[in-house]
Amino acid sequence: MAIKPGMGRKSSSKNPPILSHEFVIQNHADIVSCVAMIFVVGLMLQATSSIASIFISLHHNVTGVEPHAEKPRGEPFFYESGIKDYCAIFFYTLICIIMHAILQEYLLDKISKKLHLSKFKLSLFNESGQLSVFYAMSFLWGLDVIIRERYFAKLSLLWDDFPNHPMGFLHKLYFIVQLSYYLHMLPELYFQKIKKEDQQPKIIHAVCGFSIIALSYFLGFQRIALVVLTLHYCSELIANIFKLIDVFDKEEKYIKLRFFNNVIFVLTRFAIVVIAVLTLYYGIGSTDHATRGLIALAGVTVLQGYLIFSFITEHLKTKRERAKEAKQAALAKKAKSSKTEKTKRKKESDLPEADQPPSPTQQGKQKVK
């Protein structure tokens, strides 16, 4: 598939020097695509297929653990985490960069050109648009794996055989893609020319997301992590949809619907804490790995508490800003009304005395007469 030059960035009439910063930014999707194609072509050649497969295929198969054991026909493969997963994460990070550019070029840019958004709203639209697609995909993917593995039907599956949780193909690929997506956020700061003052929250989001998922994946918490991430992405998807609504809703017709977003956020945090307590305290806590489970439970609780605290702080900040804007609008309206009244009086005072309207005192004297 051919990719337009400068995908994800506005095209320029001037051709920047090769290997310059502007050249790399304008053509980063093409460059990354060429790097990814090297691994794909290497997979097709017998001499390099073993090396290329480390980056493309999923490894650490535990379906047949005995030597020369064969997988029964029709039975799925099962995997565990391992050191070779980092190679797969690198390759799928390249794929995430390419998909990010395709989504930006062929969908978001085309929509934003028709909307004529301000610079602030354009940045909000692009960020929420990208995240909404990722959260929607992750939520549906995670929900599909949960239904397939019947985690909700039998909750004890979340801690049975901990920490040796074999994963199906889609389960393992889910975590590889999750780690790759958060990792790809860091080079995107450069490709999208994000200002330095706006980089810190995005870097924190990317590093924290990658670290938390990596710890849960490599320490054997894949099952509960899948359930928690699916619930979290459901809440984040709704939150970003409301951000997109704010971009389109110039007259604030749907402002009352934000209450629905707030309720979903709080219920999601509560559900995550409940599932974490059941799994990590009552489930894993009753095994020989109780210490690891309690540490994980403390981490989940602190994280959910921080998210709720940030949510409340942001909500109060937004409420104060809106009250301030309403007050300023009222003062501006009052000042405009006062200015209009003064202008009217000045015009009346400039009229000849005979044409001026009678004052209240004069009107009273006329009535007496």
Side-chain angles (χ1 to χ4, degrees), residues 312-332:
I312 295 174
T313 303
E314 186 67 23
H315 182 72
L316 294 176
K317 180 181 177 182
T318 304
K319 189 176 181 179
R320 286 195 298 266
E321 289 177 352
R322 286 177 182 165
K324 185 178 179 181
E325 291 175 358
K327 186 177 180 180
Q328 290 177 348
L331 291 175

Side-chain angles (χ1 to χ4, degrees), residues 180-244:
S180 301
Y181 186 87
Y182 282 99
L183 191 61
H184 108 285
M185 288 182 174
L186 297 177
E188 283 295 338
L189 299 176
Y190 171 72
F191 295 145
Q192 302 296 325
K193 289 185 175 180
I194 303 299
K195 295 180 180 180
K196 289 185 178 180
E197 56 269 22
D198 298 331
Q199 289 184 4
Q200 183 177 358
K202 299 181 185 297
I203 292 175
I204 293 175
H205 181 205
V207 172
C208 290
F210 180 87
S211 302
I212 293 171
I213 296 175
L215 286 173
S216 60
Y217 175 68
F218 288 104
L219 293 179
F221 297 99
Q222 298 95 343
R223 293 183 179 179
I224 183 176
L226 174 70
V227 175
V228 169
L229 284 174
T230 302
L231 292 173
H232 173 72
Y233 288 148
C234 177
S235 173
E236 291 298 309
L237 173 61
I238 294 173
N240 279 273
I241 288 175
F242 275 96
K243 288 182 181 179
L244 292 176

Side-chain angles (χ1 to χ4, degrees), residues 331-361:
L331 291 175
K333 185 178 180 180
K334 185 177 180 181
K336 185 178 179 180
S337 177
S338 177
K339 186 177 179 181
T340 304
E341 185 66 24
K342 288 181 180 179
T343 305
K344 183 179 179 181
R345 290 178 181 177
K346 184 178 180 182
K347 287 181 179 180
E348 291 176 353
S349 64
D350 291 339
L351 293 173
E353 187 175 353
D355 296 335
Q356 291 184 10
S359 64
T361 306

Side-chain angles (χ1 to χ4, degrees), residues 5-105:
M7 181 173 290
R9 304 298 308 171
K10 293 182 179 180
S11 60
S12 176
S13 58
K14 296 181 180 179
N15 293 324
I18 297 177
L19 298 182
S20 64
H21 288 288
E22 192 62 30
F23 176 85
V24 174
I25 291 173
Q26 287 186 8
N27 302 278
H28 72 273
D30 301 323
I31 297 171
V32 174
S33 298
C34 293
V35 176
M37 284 302 297
I38 293 175
F39 294 98
V40 176
V41 173
L43 191 65
M44 300 177 183
L45 302 177
Q46 186 175 2
T48 57
S49 62
S50 59
I51 299 176
S53 64
I54 297 177
F55 292 87
I56 299 177
S57 303
L58 300 184
H59 294 277
H60 304 289
N61 187 351
V62 294
T63 304
V65 293
E66 296 84 3
H68 308 292
E70 294 184 0
K71 182 181 78 70
R73 181 174 297 181
E75 292 294 325
F77 286 100
F78 290 98
Y79 303 84
E80 63 181 10
S81 59
I83 191 65
K84 291 183 180 180
D85 291 337
Y86 289 105
C87 297
I89 292 170
F90 171 76
F91 175 78
Y92 287 99
T93 299
L94 303 179
I95 302 301
C96 287
I97 293 174
I98 298 170
M99 297 305 298
H100 185 115
I102 291 175
L103 177 62
Q104 185 69 42
E105 176 72 15

